[in-house]
């Protein structure tokens, strides 16, 4: 896991502000951070977030952390890059639902943002620079220094014997054939339901999700239909590998997956609060 993807600091600083700016949305009441809570896990605790008109989005919200390392974005893998993802997030009605004229008027008229764009890009904010600023910030959303990373770098005490046994099992039974690479997934497509269909789901081809930080990004699967990681592991083994794991085997793999939780800005990622819960400062979450 790299520490950085060489994002320009000045542009990333603009992107950080835009990521939390509710004025860019149609209703002025939501921002990227509303669903991608980078104060916790980069996602949210609900199975499916709500659109601007109050209906559930089609799929569970993936974490924004380490998204820049995936070869495609979205559960269906139909978003080629961060650039297209930012465009969709800003303008699609089910997300922020903003319009470019209003977005640019807001940014150009802001006494903080306007000079930041001029300094970072040498011109006033436009469609390309707004997207690039958000993408620059998203490239900083990496979570290196998980215990597993430290173990790979040679710290023999970074993970326990039980966690290492879980990793060995993860590889031996075939989990690593899809969940591999720097993002422990996120780099290929796979049919969901190779051996058996998961209850209440259709067999379809989806992008294999990254397992980094998976211990803090419940609920699971593209519909957010599985509440716990042990149940997700059990169902994946059955559907994808044709295996019925024992409780001890499930526990071992879950223990290993817990070592993949990384850090952002020096703090370990955490699970987001339950829906409706207040933040630590007592204010409602966005």
């Amino acid at each position: 896991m790299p520490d950085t993807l060489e994002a320009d600091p000045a542009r990333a600083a603009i992107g950080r502000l835009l990521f939390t700016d509710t004025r860019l949305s149609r209703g002025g009441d939501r921002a990227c951070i509303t669903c991608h809570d980078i104060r916790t896990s980069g996602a949210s605790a609900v199975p499916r977030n709500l659109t601007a008109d109050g209906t559930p989005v089609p799929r569970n919200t993936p974490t924004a952390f380490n998204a820049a390392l995936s070869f495609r974005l979205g559960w269906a893998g139909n978003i080629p890059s961060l650039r297209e993802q930012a465009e969709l997030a800003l303008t699609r009605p089910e997300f922020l639902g903003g319009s470019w004229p209003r977005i640019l008027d807001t940014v150009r008229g802001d006494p903080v943002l306007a000079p930041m764009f001029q300094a970072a890009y040498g011109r006033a904010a436009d469609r390309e620079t707004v997207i690039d600023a958000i993408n620059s910030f998203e490239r900083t959303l990496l979570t290196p220094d998980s215990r597993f990373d430290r173990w790979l770098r040679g710290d023999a005490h970074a993970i326990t014997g039980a966690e290492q046994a879980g990793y060995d099992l993860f590889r031996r039974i075939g989990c690593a054939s899809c969940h591999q690479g720097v993002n422990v997934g996120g780099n290929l497509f796979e049919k969901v339901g190779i051996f058996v269909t998961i209850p209440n789901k259709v067999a379809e081809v989806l992008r294999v999700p990254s397992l980094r930080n998976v211990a803090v990004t419940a609920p699971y699967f593209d519909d957010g239909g599985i509440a716990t990681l042990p149940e997700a592991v059990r169902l994946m083994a059955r559907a994808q590998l044709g295996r019925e794991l024992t409780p001890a085997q499930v526990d071992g793999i879950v223990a290993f997956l817990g070592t993949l939780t990384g850090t952002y800005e020096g703090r370990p990622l955490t699970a987001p609060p339950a829906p409706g819960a207040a933040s630590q400062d007592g204010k409602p979450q966005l």
Side-chain angles (χ1 to χ4, degrees):
M1 167 65 73
D3 290 330
T4 177
L5 291 178
E6 299 182 354
D8 179 89
R11 297 180 180 186
I14 300 172
R16 178 187 287 269
L17 294 176
L18 298 177
F19 198 85
T20 62
D21 196 334
T22 59
R23 297 174 301 167
L24 306 186
S25 67
R26 181 180 64 193
D29 58 348
R30 57 176 55 209
C32 301
I33 199 173
T34 305
C35 297
H36 296 287
D37 187 357
I38 59 171
R39 298 161 296 193
T40 56
S41 70
S44 60
V46 296
R48 290 184 293 164
N49 286 107
L50 299 180
T51 66
D53 63 7
T55 58
V57 296
R59 300 186 191 268
N60 177 255
T61 301
T63 177
F65 285 114
N66 307 312
L69 298 174
S70 291
F71 84 127
R72 289 275 189 142
L73 299 171
W75 279 99
N78 57 337
I79 305 174
S81 69
L82 286 176
R83 189 202 180 285
E84 285 81 2
Q85 187 275 334
E87 173 87 30
L88 291 173
L90 287 169
T91 61
R92 286 276 288 269
E94 62 266 38
F95 302 125
L96 298 188
S99 67
W100 280 111
R102 178 175 173 178
I103 290 170
L104 296 180
D105 283 348
T106 298
V107 173
R108 291 170 179 169
D110 187 280
V112 174
L113 288 170
M116 291 177 72
F117 270 97
Q118 191 66 45
Y121 292 97
R123 65 182 192 267
D126 56 26
R127 183 172 179 168
E128 292 303 315
T129 57
V130 167
I131 289 175
D132 181 74
I134 293 173
N135 290 169
S136 296
F137 174 60
E138 289 171 326
R139 286 194 291 273
T140 73
L141 295 177
L142 303 182
T143 60
D145 206 36
S146 70
R147 291 193 294 118
F148 186 65
D149 291 314
R150 297 201 298 271
W151 182 73
L152 289 176
R153 293 197 299 264
D155 182 354
H157 302 292
I159 67 176
T160 67
E163 291 163 344
Q164 184 172 343
Y167 174 50
D168 293 339
L169 179 63
F170 180 87
R171 292 186 299 170
R172 190 169 67 250
I173 67 174
C175 305
S177 62
C178 292
H179 294 286
Q180 29 77 355
V182 67
N183 227 8
V184 199
N187 59 1
L188 53 87
F189 292 104
E190 186 57 82
K191 177 183 177 182
V192 181
I194 294 174
F195 288 91
V196 297
T197 303
I198 297 173
N200 303 315
K201 290 183 61 63
V202 298
E204 61 179 327
V205 174
L206 298 175
R207 179 182 63 89
V208 175
S210 165
L211 293 183
R212 284 191 175 271
N213 308 308
V214 69
V216 295
T217 54
Y220 301 103
F221 297 175
D222 68 295
D223 61 355
I226 301 301
T228 69
L229 190 52
E231 181 65 3
V233 168
R234 185 183 68 81
L235 286 174
M236 279 285 98
R238 175 186 296 169
Q240 303 305 103
L241 304 174
R243 290 177 175 269
E244 292 292 339
L245 299 184
T246 67
Q249 288 175 319
V250 170
D251 289 346
I253 292 175
V254 169
F256 157 63
L257 295 176
T259 72
L260 296 174
T261 303
T263 62
Y264 177 63
E265 297 184 330
R267 56 172 176 79
L269 267 61
T270 58
S279 63
Q280 291 183 350
D281 62 5
K283 297 178 181 179
Q285 298 288 342
L286 279 174

